[in-house]
Amino acid sequence: NLLEEIHQNQRKLRKTELKVLQAQINPHFLYNALDTIIWLGERGEYERVVLMTSALAKYFRLSLSKGYDIIPIMEEIEHVKNYLVIQKIRYDNKLNYQFDIDSEILGYLTVKIILQPLVENALYHGIKDRDEGGNIRIIGRKIGDVICLIVEDIGVGMTKRQVENILKSNISTSITGSGVAIKNVHERIQIYFGREYGLKYKSELGKGTKVYIYIPIKEELSFNNFR
């Protein structure tokens, strides 16, 4: 009974920690998006105002996900697409992006809000300050009994030491310090799916970075009991 009580308490603690992590909506991102909408309105670019406002509304709706922590991959992809629509309007020619997602994986389940922090990291640390900008590519594949999602950027890259430390650090993804730490994304995946899953980094200074996200193939809707 004592062991069961400890187990239940640990589970509650983990769920509480995850709720806190997933509630970290970056206020700077929201402020900058709204500021851009006002600027576009003042310039009379009403089509872009509608596009950005719609993307922002969808972005936050998918962030909430009706309180679910586990969602279909198609919703996770839609979430990060809306984020990129917003950032593309803000950074224009500095940012390009593509999606290459196998349709067969879209119905499987994932922990929510794992792609956006990685894309944010690629944008703010890999692309934003480059004169020529950069490119982000998001790939999704089924490899045996594992799903691999990849966030690849052509940006400034990282040193070997930075790669070794990124999953150990609580440094935020954003330059303002208000984003979700990469370490937290890695830990959330491992809490739900096991320590054999999570993030792996490959990077070359001056050329760019690839982040590999490994998750198991899960279809059971019972995972949505984690709410």
Side-chain angles (χ1 to χ4, degrees):
N1 287 338
L2 179 59
L3 288 173
E4 178 62 23
E5 184 180 347
I6 291 171
H7 174 74
Q8 291 298 326
N9 287 339
Q10 288 177 336
R11 185 176 177 185
K12 288 178 183 177
L13 176 61
R14 286 174 176 175
K15 288 172 69 177
T16 301
E17 289 172 342
L18 293 176
K19 295 293 183 184
V20 171
L21 290 174
Q22 293 171 350
Q24 291 183 38
I25 296 174
N26 187 336
H28 293 275
F29 167 67
L30 178 58
Y31 170 80
N32 288 332
L34 293 174
D35 196 45
T36 302
I37 289 170
I38 293 169
W39 178 74
L40 291 170
E42 290 174 343
R43 287 166 55 96
E45 298 186 37
Y46 302 123
E47 288 186 7
R48 297 177 82 192
V49 167
V50 171
L51 177 62
M52 193 166 186
T53 305
S54 176
L56 191 63
K58 291 175 183 176
Y59 172 83
F60 283 116
R61 177 177 59 80
L62 289 164
S63 294
L64 296 173
S65 303
K66 298 180 181 179
Y68 294 130
D69 299 326
I70 301 293
I71 62 174
I73 288 174
M74 69 178 73
E75 291 187 13
E76 179 67 11
I77 298 297
E78 185 66 20
H79 179 259
V80 76
K81 276 184 179 178
N82 285 297
Y83 175 80
L84 281 165
V85 166
I86 294 164
Q87 297 292 39
K88 174 64 177 174
I89 292 173
R90 287 191 63 213
Y91 291 103
D92 199 16
N93 294 330
K94 275 208 161 191
L95 172 63
N96 291 295
Y97 62 88
Q98 298 86 36
F99 285 85
D100 181 10
I101 310 293
D102 285 350
S103 59
E104 65 175 325
I105 73 170
L106 294 176
Y108 294 124
L109 300 175
T110 180
V111 182
K112 74 176 182 180
I113 312 179
I114 57 174
L115 286 172
Q116 182 271 331
L118 304 183
V119 169
E120 182 182 13
N121 193 60
L123 174 60
Y124 284 137
H125 297 292
I127 292 173
K128 181 178 177 289
D129 293 327
R130 294 179 85 215
D131 291 337
E132 66 273 36
N135 186 73
I136 295 174
R137 187 167 175 237
I138 299 173
I139 304 163
R141 300 284 185 267
K142 180 181 176 183
I143 305 173
D145 59 353
V146 173
I147 289 170
C148 181
L149 302 172
I150 303 169
V151 176
E152 177 184 11
D153 73 77
I154 299 174
V156 298
M158 293 187 291
T159 65
K160 184 177 180 181
R161 177 167 297 210
Q162 286 175 313
V163 172
E164 290 173 350
N165 290 334
I166 194 165
L167 296 182
K168 302 174 185 177
S169 170
N170 280 314
I171 296 174
S172 166
T173 59
S174 75
I175 55 174
T176 62
S178 300
V180 177
I182 296 299
K183 179 183 176 184
N184 289 342
V185 175
H186 183 61
E187 288 178 345
R188 282 192 285 138
I189 293 171
Q190 293 196 329
I191 286 173
Y192 276 111
F193 295 135
R195 298 190 64 81
E196 63 269 37
Y197 302 103
L199 308 183
K200 290 186 179 178
Y201 270 79
K202 288 185 179 179
S203 187
E204 190 172 346
L205 201 61
K207 293 190 175 181
T209 301
K210 283 187 179 181
V211 192
Y212 298 84
I213 309 169
Y214 294 101
I215 58 175
I217 292 174
K218 292 290 181 183
E219 298 179 272
E220 298 84 357
L221 293 178
S222 60
F223 264 81
N224 277 335
N225 291 331
F226 288 90
R227 62 182 299 195

